[in-house]
Amino acid sequence: MRRLIIGDVHGSYRALMEVLEKASFSSDDQLYFTGDAADGYMDVYECLSFFMELGERFHPVIGNHDVWLQNWLLMDEAPYEWVSQGGRASILSFERACVSPSRRREIGEFLLSWPYVISTEHEYICHGGPGDFASDDDMERLAALKRNPGYGCSLGEKIMWDRSYYVYADYDEKHDRSVKRFGKLSCSKRLFIGHSEIGTYEPLVSERYNLVNLDTGAGWAGCLTIMDMDTLEYWQSGKSKDLYREMR
């Protein structure tokens, strides 16, 4: 059994199918996800339907775009901030598929079940990052927390949105800093994140911060990355901008 993890999909179902094929994803594999299935490209409903079909083999954390979609599905909220940042694609995806009210509710509840943090024996997974405010104890508490509709726990929301932990890790790797100098996390576990797009379209692996950032831009011009959580071997799709040429 392999434990594979993918970065932000953002509705790029074509990239998702391509990268799973490249990784020879099978029924023996577990699939983890750093969040943000919603918004970006037009196949959000197809991505979420596929994830639901995986059942207990699928292990996601919630992303900020997923919360916006969740709140639209469960509470009919469509703030301009969401619609203008990719939310329109999610709405059109559901409208194009003629999704029934009961199915919308089902998918909304599915998103609501996604935690802020996953904690395993050797890893943490979250969407954004722990910043300089979240400790190991905080991560463990959030991993056990059941989310509520709306915008929920303030600490969970901060971890979902944070980019600073990645920014410091990226800077320190590029400048060959000798030690980790930011944040309260002990680095006893490897941290997998998404949310902060990497301009090089290659995943960032920081040994100093025991961090892996998998957001390689599948929701915009880049590609989708899937990684073996134990070996750090990874595979990538083609760029979404080429897979969805009709959207240019």
Side-chain angles (χ1 to χ4, degrees):
M1 183 189 72
R2 293 183 301 171
R3 301 182 309 144
L4 302 175
I5 186 166
I6 53 174
D8 305 40
V9 175
H10 283 300
S12 186
Y13 181 75
R14 297 172 192 176
L16 176 61
M17 292 297 102
E18 182 180 312
V19 81
L20 290 174
E21 182 179 357
K22 286 183 175 180
S24 301
F25 180 69
S26 75
S27 59
D28 294 326
D29 297 325
Q30 300 287 312
L31 187 63
Y32 291 78
F33 178 43
T34 64
D36 274 0
D39 307 346
Y41 284 93
M42 62 181 70
D43 293 328
V44 175
Y45 175 69
E46 287 78 5
C47 291
L48 289 169
S49 295
F50 172 78
F51 290 149
M52 290 182 76
E53 290 171 3
L54 294 177
E56 294 183 356
R57 296 167 54 214
F58 182 58
H59 311 279
V61 293
I62 196 74
N64 55 299
H65 288 270
D66 302 321
V67 169
W68 280 325
L69 176 59
Q70 163 203 294
N71 291 344
W72 177 67
L73 291 169
L74 296 179
M75 301 183 293
D76 202 30
E77 291 185 0
Y80 176 77
E81 180 185 17
W82 172 52
V83 175
S84 65
Q85 294 188 56
R88 185 60 182 160
S90 292
I91 293 171
L92 290 174
S93 177
F94 276 75
E95 290 179 347
R96 184 189 61 186
C98 299
V99 182
S100 68
S102 62
R103 178 64 170 169
R104 291 187 183 198
R105 182 79 189 178
E106 182 183 17
I107 294 176
E109 295 287 350
F110 177 55
L111 289 169
L112 185 58
S113 73
W114 296 10
Y116 291 115
V117 174
I118 289 175
S119 174
T120 72
E121 183 179 359
H122 300 295
E123 298 95 10
Y124 289 124
I125 304 168
C126 66
H127 183 60
D132 63 350
F133 49 83
S135 66
D136 293 67
D137 287 343
D138 292 325
M139 298 292 274
E140 295 293 345
R141 282 196 296 271
L142 287 172
L145 180 70
K146 183 177 180 181
R147 295 178 48 250
N148 295 313
Y151 296 95
C153 167
S154 59
L155 179 60
E157 294 290 318
K158 287 177 69 177
I159 284 177
M160 187 178 67
W161 280 95
D162 179 74
R163 298 186 194 276
S164 61
Y165 199 80
Y166 156 70
V167 169
Y168 270 84
D170 183 49
Y171 182 90
D172 287 355
E173 290 296 327
K174 288 176 178 175
H175 292 81
D176 199 24
R177 300 275 186 172
S178 59
V179 296
K180 172 182 179 287
R181 61 194 180 96
F182 182 79
K184 296 178 180 178
L185 212 63
S186 70
C187 295
S188 61
K189 295 184 180 185
R190 177 171 284 132
L191 174 65
F192 288 92
I193 65 168
H195 186 53
S196 298
E197 184 179 340
I198 305 167
T200 60
Y201 305 134
E202 296 291 331
L204 171 77
V205 179
S206 169
E207 296 297 336
R208 293 168 179 81
Y209 285 71
N210 208 5
L211 170 73
V212 177
N213 182 356
L214 290 164
D215 184 2
T216 50
W220 318 114
C223 57
L224 183 62
T225 297
I226 186 168
M227 179 178 283
D228 186 310
M229 292 173 64
D230 298 297
T231 68
L232 302 190
E233 180 181 8
Y234 66 90
W235 302 261
Q236 294 184 298
S237 71
K239 293 180 178 178
S240 291
K241 66 182 179 67
D242 297 324
L243 297 174
Y244 287 89
R245 289 183 180 273
E246 72 273 21
M247 291 186 65
R248 290 185 178 183

